[in-house]
Amino acid sequence: MAQIERSRFGHYVALAVIVVAVLIYLTPIYWIVATSLKSPADIIAQVPQFLFRVTLEHYQKLMPDAVPGLTYVFSAEALIGILACFLPVRNIGFARRFAFLWNGLLILTCLYALATTINYNFLMLSIYTIIVFLLISPQKSTEARRVRLSLVGASVLAIVAICTLFAHGGSKYFHQLLNSIIIGFGSTLLAVGFGTLSAYAFSRFEVAGKEDLLFFILSTRMLPPVVVVIPIYLMYSALGLRDTHLGLILLYTTFNVSFAVWLMKGFIDEIPKEYEDAALVDGYTRFQTFVKVVLPQSVTGIAATAVFCLITAWNEFAFALVLTEVGGRAVTAPPSITSAIGSSGVDWGKIAAATFVFLLPVAIFTFLMRGHLLRGVTFGAVKK
Amino acid sequence: MRTARFSRGFSDYQIKMAFIMPTMILLILMNIFPLLWSLYLSFHRYKASMPNRPAKFIGPQNYARLLTDPEIWGYFQTTAYFVVLAVITQFIIGFGLALLLNREFRYKGLVTTLILLPMMLSPVVVGLFWRFIFASDASGLVNYLLSPLFGGPIGWTTDPKIAMLAVVIVDTWMWSPFMMLISLAGLSAIPKYLYEAADVDRASQWFKFRWITLPLVSPLLLIALLFRTMDAFKMFDIVYVLTREGGPGIATETVSMNLYKLAFRNYNTGKACAMAYILLIIIVALSNIYVKHLNKVRGEA
């Protein structure tokens, strides 16, 4: 009896310590959010203000002077798309038609934006929306999950469209954010593509010196950025790739591809070989087997790998610092946000707002990916 | 239905090569070639700010000068001090939290994810904001909360004696969740019946911890420790923003930070390449040990 009571007491003490720990871990994040919403007087108050009057002025500083009308259309599309994802699907046929209509509407809005503001970014965005529409078109699917995925895809693109509009409207911050998005998505696409192909080959075929090759691939990821960046800097200077999207995309692809190979190999190893054997017996070629059997089976793995690559590219600092110029064409958000420390009279409210907008997507993805975090940080070696 | 030629498609060998080649070509172009180039430059006198002046071969002079320079060893000492302090602190806090979290309670998933959040955020952007949190005047949150304890504000980022501590605190805030995540995975994989058997034998808590928990989680703990050591060794982002490029003075100037200054402030490219190679050899040695252990754990799983 005494034993049980003691262990119950211990349980509650443990819970109390956990609560305190969570509070400590979250305080800096809370402070970022709070500072971004405070008035300048509250920010530099002699006693830090935990309760304060909320103001959005710092966020307004990040936005362009005039907000284009299309912003509201895209916002509505993103918002309704996200809300629709949380609704229970009772009638799959209706859900499918809704998603079809919604994505079609997004394409039309993008094309309209392209027509009114002839802009390279909107051209790319329109092409992307159409590709996403065709790739994960929910027409044939009978699964609620695929319908939801297509809605999420459309909402993400609508948010990207808002950033493009703001950047086009003259907001420096959203220009940098858009660079981060372009470089992040571009490098993730390439890294996951290359990584999945190589992972399949390493998983299914005999490769001469397989262990050594895999070790070599992983070791490239372990290189300190400052070591690689010196010759890359010289190389890019010679090739004119400094401060270009392509240069950073190639570089981020390189260090993400090794990660993608290792992570995807773990996922593909788990798919039973028997499926492929059956398909091969049925007369599929090896390539058809890969496309029609292996790829659909590894969708979850590909999504998890992609999110990790995206976060890594999004957060990357050292390469972006050296290879782009603050205020330049391809500069990403991290070097720009941090460039403020050199100057005197730092506007912490603006920095906090910029930081919060920058961190929010990562925080959301972390929650969505929580089941895969362990795999991600251990290169797929530890699974749960 | 299909013609015989088409149904054969590509051979397995062709597929294998076509699938591996893009990755290999990319890694060779973007990693091996630059590394060879910097090896070449490390034996030359060359300044990237003057690209028209040809590189002059000077043999291993760069290396000799670096290895005999007491200042360089100072940076290595600073880095080692940081690595040891940060990794041990993170390990203790992370493993301790994992021990606490290894029980059933409501919202466990939510709580774990909340603690893991700092690990996923951009070190440099959050590190910048920590400057504001550590501000030495009264608006700094840390000084406000802790000044009753220490009797006055502390110059977290301006006092050379304390700056390293600030860097360690931020690094620990970011990376102790990493230690926790891996420890938790190890702890939750321990079969329950082992503890039940120990209970039957009336083993003490300490005995169970020492002879069941520790031996079973130690392979994973080792991975976490190695990974963090390697990562901490090349730490650059946090010192760049939190203490403004390794300040005050050179109090928090790690090897990576010094290397950056050498290469992109002084444009002493040849010497920087030599320094990069010295750092590289250390990292490769560490990562070798790391990958060996990864493969071992992979084999056991």
Side-chain angles (χ1 to χ4, degrees):
Chain A
M1 196 64 192
Q3 183 94 39
I4 291 167
E5 229 147 67
R6 224 184 75 193
S7 75
R8 272 195 87 95
F9 177 71
H11 183 69
Y12 287 121
V13 170
L15 289 188
V17 176
I18 290 169
V19 170
V20 172
V22 171
L23 286 179
I24 292 174
Y25 278 107
L26 291 186
T27 305
I29 297 172
Y30 167 74
W31 209 238
I32 293 174
V33 182
T35 307
S36 75
L37 294 170
K38 283 179 185 175
S39 65
D42 278 344
I43 289 174
I44 53 159
Q46 284 304 298
V47 175
Q49 306 283 309
F50 284 89
L51 297 170
F52 50 88
R53 259 227 330 266
V54 172
T55 159
L56 288 177
E57 59 179 290
H58 302 299
Y59 290 93
Q60 271 161 7
K61 281 185 233 164
L62 299 179
M63 303 224 288
D65 299 329
V67 177
L70 264 182
T71 310
Y72 301 106
V73 182
F74 279 123
S75 310
E77 278 175 354
L79 206 66
I80 294 178
I82 289 168
L83 287 178
C85 290
F86 290 102
L87 292 179
V89 177
R90 289 218 185 76
N91 181 346
I92 186 78
F94 174 74
R96 213 185 304 155
R97 275 195 295 277
F98 175 78
F100 182 79
L101 200 75
W102 206 245
N103 293 6
L105 206 64
L106 180 75
I107 293 180
L108 288 182
T109 328
C110 280
L111 287 176
Y112 176 75
L114 176 66
T116 48
T117 53
I118 301 294
N119 177 289
Y120 172 72
N121 289 326
F122 270 113
L123 179 68
M124 292 311 290
L125 195 65
S126 306
I127 294 171
Y128 273 132
T129 45
I130 293 168
I131 290 174
V132 167
F133 185 70
L134 294 176
L135 267 186
I136 47 176
S137 86
Q139 289 152 289
K140 279 181 277 174
S141 70
T142 48
E143 277 177 277
R145 247 179 69 195
R146 283 226 29 209
V147 178
R148 286 208 173 94
L149 193 66
S150 74
L151 281 172
V152 171
S155 304
V156 169
L157 283 171
I159 292 168
V160 176
I162 296 172
C163 293
T164 317
L165 274 179
F166 283 175
H168 193 65
S171 159
K172 271 191 195 143
Y173 178 67
F174 279 93
H175 172 71
Q176 294 144 9
L177 220 51
L178 187 65
N179 284 339
S180 281
I181 292 170
I182 293 170
I183 291 162
F185 276 80
S187 64
T188 301
L189 207 69
L190 285 175
V192 175
F194 290 179
T196 308
L197 293 180
S198 301
Y200 177 73
F202 279 119
S203 174
R204 293 298 194 253
F205 300 121
E206 285 302 316
V207 181
K210 186 193 273 185
E211 292 304 316
D212 293 326
L213 273 181
L214 278 170
F215 171 65
F216 160 69
I217 289 175
L218 181 62
S219 66
T220 59
R221 166 77 177 224
M222 303 298 176
L223 298 174
V226 257
V227 169
V228 196
V229 80
I230 304 170
I232 294 262
Y233 174 86
L234 300 174
M235 194 165 99
Y236 275 19
S237 300
L239 295 172
L241 278 173
R242 260 172 64 204
D243 204 16
T244 62
H245 291 139
L246 180 68
L248 280 188
I249 288 176
L250 276 179
L251 194 59
Y252 289 1
T253 306
T254 312
F255 68 70
N256 269 336
V257 78
S258 55
F259 173 75
V261 169
W262 272 68
L263 207 57
M264 280 314 297
K265 185 172 177 290
F267 281 113
I268 292 176
D269 281 346
E270 280 169 16
I271 302 170
K273 248 185 176 160
E274 285 72 26
Y275 292 148
E276 283 161 77
D277 294 339
L280 286 171
V281 170
D282 281 351
Y284 276 36
T285 64
R286 180 59 89 164
F287 189 71
Q288 284 171 319
T289 324
F290 173 70
V291 174
K292 294 192 174 153
V293 179
V294 178
L295 280 188
Q297 295 265 346
S298 45
V299 166
T300 321
I302 291 175
T305 311
V307 170
F308 275 104
C309 291
L310 200 58
I311 292 180
T312 316
W314 185 256
N315 286 346
E316 206 287 325
F317 172 67
F319 287 123
L321 175 76
V322 173
L323 296 174
T324 62
E325 274 142 45
V326 172
R329 217 156 52 86
V331 70
T332 55
S336 318
I337 296 176
T338 50
S339 67
I341 50 163
S343 56
S344 56
V346 181
D347 184 353
W348 284 108
K350 192 177 164 192
I351 288 181
T355 301
F356 180 63
V357 173
F358 180 74
L359 298 182
L360 190 63
V362 178
I364 293 171
F365 276 128
T366 304
F367 269 89
L368 295 178
M369 282 291 117
R370 58 180 181 272
H372 293 291
L373 286 180
L374 184 66
R375 260 183 120 121
V377 295
T378 56
F379 290 83
V382 186
K383 296 153 195 161
K384 197 155 67 172
Chain B
M1 272 147 273
R2 283 190 215 100
T3 63
R5 195 179 61 83
F6 188 73
S7 69
R8 256 174 62 237
F10 301 109
S11 72
D12 278 9
Y13 179 77
Q14 283 168 322
I15 295 250
K16 181 173 82 180
M17 281 303 154
F19 278 17
I20 293 182
M21 272 310 137
T23 304
M24 283 303 161
I25 291 171
L26 190 72
L27 289 178
I28 288 168
L29 277 184
M30 300 288 291
N31 272 322
I32 301 303
F33 173 67
L35 281 179
L36 290 178
W37 192 354
S38 73
L39 183 66
Y40 165 85
L41 282 177
S42 74
F43 291 103
H44 288 72
R45 182 177 293 138
Y46 181 69
K47 277 174 117 52
S49 51
M50 288 180 259
N52 294 328
R53 192 188 290 176
K56 188 174 168 252
F57 182 77
I58 51 168
Q61 251 187 55
N62 282 326
Y63 289 96
R65 231 181 272 157
L66 282 169
L67 291 173
T68 52
D69 187 350
E71 246 179 63
I72 298 295
W73 293 112
Y75 299 128
F76 271 100
Q77 269 171 16
T78 310
T79 311
Y81 177 64
F82 165 75
V83 170
V84 170
L85 207 60
V87 172
I88 288 178
T89 320
Q90 287 156 23
F91 175 71
I92 292 169
I93 293 178
F95 187 53
L97 267 177
L99 284 174
L100 289 178
L101 281 167
N102 189 32
R103 62 185 70 230
E104 292 307 317
F105 58 92
R106 268 170 93 187
Y107 306 121
K108 182 180 175 182
L110 176 73
V111 164
T112 317
T113 315
L114 282 176
I115 296 180
L116 290 176
L117 206 50
M119 177 178 86
M120 307 299 288
L121 304 176
S122 159
V124 74
V125 174
V126 180
L128 173 71
F129 202 79
W130 271 94
R131 253 180 95 78
F132 179 63
I133 296 174
F134 275 136
S136 49
D137 60 347
S139 65
L141 185 64
V142 172
N143 271 334
Y144 171 75
L145 293 176
L146 295 186
S147 63
L149 239 65
F150 298 116
I154 293 174
W156 289 101
T157 55
T158 48
D159 186 335
K161 287 203 194 82
I162 293 171
M164 185 53 94
L165 209 60
V167 177
V168 170
I169 289 173
V170 176
D171 203 65
T172 302
W173 176 77
M174 289 214 83
W175 292 111
S176 53
F178 174 87
M179 293 282 193
M180 182 207 82
L181 179 65
I182 295 184
S183 313
L184 200 56
L187 287 174
S188 57
I190 300 175
K192 285 248 161 25
Y193 64 81
L194 289 178
Y195 292 109
E196 282 155 13
D199 280 336
V200 171
D201 292 342
R202 295 176 176 249
S204 69
Q205 289 291 334
W206 167 249
F207 184 89
K208 283 190 275 184
F209 178 76
R210 174 67 187 80
W211 297 105
I212 300 174
T213 313
L214 265 191
L216 284 171
V217 290
S218 57
L220 274 186
L221 291 184
L222 207 59
I223 280 200
L225 277 173
L226 267 170
F227 189 90
R228 278 307 304 146
T229 309
M230 216 160 56
D231 233 28
F233 209 90
K234 48 192 194 192
M235 206 271 286
F236 170 76
D237 304 24
I238 295 176
V239 286
Y240 183 88
V241 285
L242 185 72
T243 55
R244 278 184 77 175
E245 307 193 2
I250 54 164
T252 59
E253 190 159 330
T254 57
V255 178
S256 279
M257 192 64 240
N258 178 254
L259 184 50
Y260 169 80
K261 282 184 178 173
L262 201 60
F264 298 105
R265 288 276 186 271
N266 308 333
Y267 285 102
N268 212 331
T269 312
K271 200 173 166 192
C273 285
M275 177 103 168
Y277 258 87
I278 296 172
L279 183 62
L280 192 66
I281 288 163
I282 297 172
I283 296 275
V284 167
L286 276 173
S287 67
N288 223 327
I289 306 172
Y290 173 70
V291 175
K292 289 262 159 63
H293 272 281
L294 258 190
N295 281 332
K296 220 172 105 192
V297 169
R298 204 186 249 274
E300 284 163 6

